[in-house]
Amino acid sequence: MEDKTRLHSDAKWTTLLLLILLEETAGLEYASYYQDHMVLQRAPQRALLWGYGRQIGDPVTVDVSGKGSVHTRIIKYTNGTGGVWQVKLPAVYDAGPFNITAFSPEGNVSIDDVLFGDVWMCSGQTDMAFPMSKVTNSTNEIHRSAEYKDIRILKPKEYQSATALDDLKGFDINWAAPSNESLYNFSAICWLFGEYLYSQIRHPIGLIQVSFPEATHFSPESSIPPIDQESWNGMIYPLSHMVTYGIIWYQGSGNLKSDYNYGYDFIVMMSNIRSLYRSKTLNETSSSMPFGIVQMGPITVPAYAGQAADFRWSQSFDYGVVPNGRLTGAFMAVTTDLVDPQSPDHPRCKQPVSARLVLGALNIAYGDKDVEFEGPYPNGITFVRNATKLMRIQYNQIIVVRSRSGFVFCCSSESSEKCYDTDKHIPAPILFHDQTSVTISYADCGTDWVVGISYDWSGSPCEAYEQCAIYSRDSGLPALPISTDGLGILGLLETIYLYPTGRQVVF
């Protein structure tokens, strides 16, 4: 009896050892994120596939059902054991679905139900991670998602690594069509962006959520000490082999203390991602891959509220608008008016955030220049020379006024050129308006110099949800927050234009 037990035990260990050896020396494989139900980038770009093999030098043929085959060989894997292979697929315009099969003398491996469309990455901080299960009207939103079977989602596991990895280390959500189960913990901003975008472009969309609590800048090449380099190594870098159409980015309050460095750091990060992804996809990902930025929303936490306006400004690299001379191929969604008293740190109504991002994507990423994606911004100021000390601010669009508050003058008795924190900051309610301008008064400055003017320049500037002062009549988008210094030295001029060059707010 003892011998039989020992033989049975030895057999179990032998079987286990064989399974381990087979796993370690597995034959032909795809990299982990090439899966059933996925979306690959559509033509004119050519999607890239890569994977693993044991026998260096073996030929590999990859066949896209009905669209042709491509050929390569297994080469030595310099970052691990065994070998790797990589191919560019034929350019595929049709949506699919397709079966894609790789063949070699070691065997074959297939991925099924593959669509060709546009692949968007959704990254950033906790606001990007905010799930569909918590969004406003979540039950109906998730239920309606079943209509969008040509949108597929992927959510890699959070993983940090001291060195850059070629492949991901696991998934919270494998590639999947939308369902109650798959969307419950998927990014609300990401899904709603894809849903609204699909309604306009009408071809498949792949959405990849890569977000981290308290994430900042993933770029290890930044001249500022890198933060979350381990996340870059473990999640951003591995996806660089996937041909990607664009990225949307939502940063949160965890970075408010870095406001003066943020604009520069973000541009470096954006440039590094574009360069890395283009290089790793053999020039298939665009060198000007579109970036959509969500400007920081309302901040009510006292410790952060005072820094929020400066941080929003730095998100545009001190231009106030995106795109601009430094942030090219990018677009920005203004969200300061999306107040949520019941959830002030993470507002639940993500629908307008995604809708505003889609307007920017249609214009910048898809070239539809008839789509208005920016709210009103000033293009001129007129001073009225009388005792009322009126100022008329002209806008570039037809506007509607929903509130009288938002403008603040900086009044100084010491300087005619610069606004300081110690100067008086006096609210200036809108007195009256017409279709393209508002009029305010600086009479309360008295004899002091008017050295600055700001609009919506605070942590949470709006009185209620979508109730800031100025909106576009046609698009419904809010006016952009602005702040300027130096009005005093130019006060004798009849008219001052805020955008003389490069669309930067300059006095």
Side-chain angles (χ1 to χ4, degrees), residues 425-446:
H425 293 79
I426 299 177
I430 295 172
L431 301 177
F432 41 87
H433 63 89
D434 57 28
Q435 283 195 326
T436 57
S437 71
V438 298
T439 300
I440 56 180
S441 173
Y442 54 96
D444 287 346
C445 284

Side-chain angles (χ1 to χ4, degrees), residues 95-164:
F98 295 95
N99 297 329
I100 301 177
T101 304
F103 303 88
S104 83
E106 298 177 75
N108 62 74
V109 59
S110 295
I111 49 177
D112 301 323
D113 187 33
V114 176
L115 302 180
F116 282 81
D118 288 335
V119 178
W120 283 83
M121 182 186 293
C122 308
S123 196
Q125 203 172 26
T126 50
D127 278 302
M128 182 60 79
F130 192 88
M132 283 292 292
S133 58
K134 295 182 179 180
V135 76
T136 301
N137 200 27
S138 62
T139 301
N140 289 338
E141 291 286 4
I142 293 175
H143 179 74
R144 194 178 70 246
S145 71
E147 303 171 16
Y148 297 92
K149 295 301 185 184
D150 281 351
I151 305 176
R152 308 291 174 83
I153 62 175
L154 177 72
K155 184 181 178 182
K157 284 185 178 295
E158 292 180 19
Y159 191 84
Q160 286 73 44
S161 173
T163 57

Side-chain angles (χ1 to χ4, degrees), residues 29-40 48-52 86 111 114 119 121 153-156 165-171 173-176 208 210 234-244 277 280-281:
E29 291 182 285
Y30 288 109
S32 65
Y33 46 83
Y34 296 111
Q35 303 172 359
D36 295 344
H37 318 302
M38 75 177 303
V39 174
L40 291 171
L48 199 78
L49 261 67
W50 72 278
Y52 306 97
Q86 178 175 274
I111 49 177
V114 176
V119 178
M121 182 186 293
I153 62 175
L154 177 72
K155 184 181 178 182
L165 302 179
D166 290 315
D167 206 350
L168 295 168
K169 289 296 185 179
F171 303 90
I173 303 171
N174 289 307
W175 277 108
I208 305 175
V210 183
M235 299 183 72
I236 299 294
Y237 191 94
L239 286 165
S240 61
H241 294 276
M242 174 167 282
V243 181
T244 304
Y277 278 45
K280 293 296 184 181
T281 59

Side-chain angles (χ1 to χ4, degrees), residues 406-429:
F407 287 99
V408 175
F409 282 111
C410 180
C411 312
S412 176
S413 60
E414 303 295 330
S415 172
S416 64
E417 298 181 358
K418 181 71 176 175
C419 178
Y420 295 96
D421 291 340
T422 54
D423 291 328
K424 292 184 291 186
H425 293 79
I426 299 177

Side-chain angles (χ1 to χ4, degrees), residues 63 108 120 128 191 211 243 294 318 337 377 380 409 413 453:
D63 178 75
N108 62 74
W120 283 83
M128 182 60 79
W191 169 260
S211 55
V243 181
V294 180
D318 300 345
D337 63 329
Y377 55 84
F409 282 111
S413 60
I453 183 173

